[in-house]
């Protein structure tokens, strides 16, 4: 994944303060305190769920690529008129994230096989066409290719 984290509040506490200043004029203010924060990753993410079958020689994969664009912010705050007639803006901004996602499954019938999983998409500049290939390598928990020890042992 290549992302930037956006942390934003999902709730706000609002307090209004009305008072009189030294000259006897009414003054007021509002205070917005953000709380209950959430985090959203923005950028490109890829989730892969592999399943091995066929005596450990083949692979099913569920692929979920996701592109999350930077948020557009909307202000849900309000403008308050103080007792003195002044305006006080209370800002409570919330993000809207545009997301592109697709879930697909691919079956690789043999170790090392290359398959086309996506393509024909224009890049962001629009000057190139992007194709996505997947090559699966079956490895053990230590990162060694499965069957590599068998191959090495059988060679003179």
């Amino acid at each position: 994944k290549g992302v930037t984290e956006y942390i934003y509040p999902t709730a706000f506490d609002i307090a209004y303060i009305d008072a009189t200043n030294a000259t006897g004029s009414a003054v007021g203010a509002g205070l917005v305190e953000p709380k209950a924060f959430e985090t959203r990753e923005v950028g490109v993410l890829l989730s892969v769920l592999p399943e091995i079958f066929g005596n450990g020689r083949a692979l099913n994969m569920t692929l979920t690529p996701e592109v999350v664009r930077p948020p557009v912010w909307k202000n849900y705050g309000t403008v308050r008129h103080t007792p003195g007639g002044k305006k006080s803006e209370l800002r409570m901004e919330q993000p809207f994230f545009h997301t592109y996602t697709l879930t697909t499954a691919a079956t690789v019938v043999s170790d090392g096989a290359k398959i086309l999983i996506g393509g024909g998409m224009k890049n962001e500049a629009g000057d190139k066409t992007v194709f996505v290939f997947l090559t699966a390598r079956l490895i053990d928990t230590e990162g060694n290719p499965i069957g590599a020890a068998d191959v090495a042992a059988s060679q003179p």
Side-chain angles (χ1 to χ4, degrees), residues 6 8 40-45 65-73 94-101 124:
Y6 280 77
Y8 58 94
R40 178 73 189 253
E41 294 178 325
V42 171
V44 179
L45 301 104
E66 181 178 20
V67 177
V68 182
R69 297 283 182 217
V72 173
W73 295 86
Q94 290 291 284
F96 287 81
F97 298 94
H98 193 100
T99 303
Y100 303 91
T101 188
E124 285 191 37

Side-chain angles (χ1 to χ4, degrees), residues 44-84:
V44 179
L45 301 104
L46 175 63
S47 298
V48 179
L49 175 64
E51 297 175 89
I52 299 173
F53 70 98
N55 294 330
R57 299 289 181 208
L59 187 65
N60 275 334
M61 287 184 286
T62 302
L63 304 149
T64 308
E66 181 178 20
V67 177
V68 182
R69 297 283 182 217
V72 173
W73 295 86
K74 181 172 179 175
N75 182 14
Y76 283 98
T78 186
V79 174
R80 178 174 185 259
H81 296 278
T82 66

Side-chain angles (χ1 to χ4, degrees), residues 7 10 19 26 32 50 66 96 99-101 115 131 133-134 137:
I7 301 171
T10 59
V32 175
E66 181 178 20
F96 287 81
T99 303
Y100 303 91
T101 188
I115 60 171
F131 292 90
F133 290 90
L134 174 70
R137 297 279 181 210

Side-chain angles (χ1 to χ4, degrees), residues 76-131:
Y76 283 98
T78 186
V79 174
R80 178 174 185 259
H81 296 278
T82 66
K86 294 184 179 180
K87 291 182 180 180
S88 174
E89 182 180 8
L90 304 176
R91 297 190 63 81
M92 294 179 279
E93 293 189 343
Q94 290 291 284
F96 287 81
F97 298 94
H98 193 100
T99 303
Y100 303 91
T101 188
L102 171 72
T103 299
T104 188
T107 299
V108 179
V109 294
S110 64
D111 183 38
K114 185 181 293 185
I115 60 171
L116 176 67
I117 61 170
M121 301 174 290
K122 293 286 185 188
N123 66 355
E124 285 191 37
D127 60 349
K128 295 180 182 176
T129 302
V130 178
F131 292 90

